[in-house]
Amino acid sequence: MLRKRVGLPENTAIEVEAVMANNDPERKQLHKRKKALRHRVQALIEEDSEDQNLFQAAMREFQAIEEGRLSLRKDEMKALSSLLTPKQQVILHVTLHRFHKRMKHAMEERRSRRHDRDGHEFDDAGDKERRDEKRHERRRRQRGGDDW
C-alpha cells in the first residue's frame, strides 16, 4: 500500500512501516484495556448499578485511554513528518482511513452474513429472513416487548 498508493520508494516505505509498528505493543495494550473496561461498564449497566463513583472512575479511565491513543498517534505523525512530504502524509492518512473503513465494513458484512446471534450459519437467501426476524425479536425484547 505504501509503495503503490502513496508512491514511496522501498527504503522510505520500510522506514515508515517501522515507525508505524513501533507503537504497536502500547496500542494493543490500550485496546485491551478499553475492551476490558467496556465489559466492566456493560456489567454495571446490566446490574442497574447506582454507584456513581464507579461510573465516574470508568469515564476517567476511558478518557485516559483515549488520551494515550491520541498521544501515540501524535508521536507517530511527528515521526512520519520527518520521513514524508506533506502531500505524502495526506495521501497516507486518506489511504489508511479508506483501508480501515473498508475492513470494518467487510468484517461487519461477513459477521452478519455468515452467522446469526446463536451461531447458526446461513447458507441461502431464505436464511436472511430468519436472521432479520431474529434481529427484530431481539430489538423487541430490548425495548420491553412492545411490537414496533
Side-chain angles (χ1 to χ4, degrees), residues 11-142:
N11 59 342
T12 306
I14 291 170
E15 291 179 51
V16 168
E17 288 169 349
V19 166
M20 293 175 76
N22 188 35
N23 293 326
D24 279 351
E26 193 172 347
R27 187 178 292 116
K28 287 179 182 178
Q29 184 63 32
L30 288 169
H31 179 75
K32 285 180 183 178
R33 279 181 53 201
K34 187 175 182 179
K35 185 176 181 179
L37 180 59
R38 280 194 321 258
H39 288 288
R40 288 196 314 264
V41 167
Q42 187 62 38
L44 286 173
I45 292 170
E46 288 174 1
E47 293 171 3
D48 198 24
S49 175
E50 292 298 326
D51 189 347
Q52 297 303 312
N53 292 329
L54 288 176
F55 286 107
Q56 187 176 28
M59 281 307 302
R60 277 193 297 252
E61 190 171 348
F62 272 127
Q63 291 168 345
I65 291 168
E66 196 58 31
E67 287 172 6
R69 291 180 66 225
L70 289 173
S71 175
L72 285 177
R73 184 72 181 133
K74 186 178 178 181
D75 294 345
E76 192 174 85
M77 297 286 278
K78 188 175 182 178
L80 289 174
S81 69
S82 66
L83 298 173
L84 303 173
T85 66
K87 180 180 179 179
Q88 289 171 328
Q89 290 175 52
V90 169
I91 293 171
L92 175 63
H93 177 76
V94 169
T95 302
L96 287 174
H97 177 75
R98 286 181 182 160
F99 173 76
H100 289 135
K101 189 175 177 180
R102 277 192 233 125
M103 287 301 295
K104 182 179 178 183
H105 177 73
M107 292 302 291
E108 288 171 353
E109 181 67 27
R110 181 173 186 252
R111 197 175 306 122
S112 69
R113 185 173 4 104
R114 296 203 54 210
H115 297 88
D116 66 5
R117 279 282 236 212
D118 300 326
H120 301 293
E121 196 164 325
F122 297 118
D123 23 329
D124 65 11
D127 286 335
K128 182 183 181 315
E129 292 173 15
R130 184 170 66 109
R131 181 185 70 220
D132 291 343
E133 180 56 35
K134 282 187 166 283
R135 188 179 74 234
H136 292 299
E137 182 182 312
R138 279 192 309 274
R139 286 183 181 164
R140 279 192 294 272
R141 281 195 309 263
Q142 289 171 348

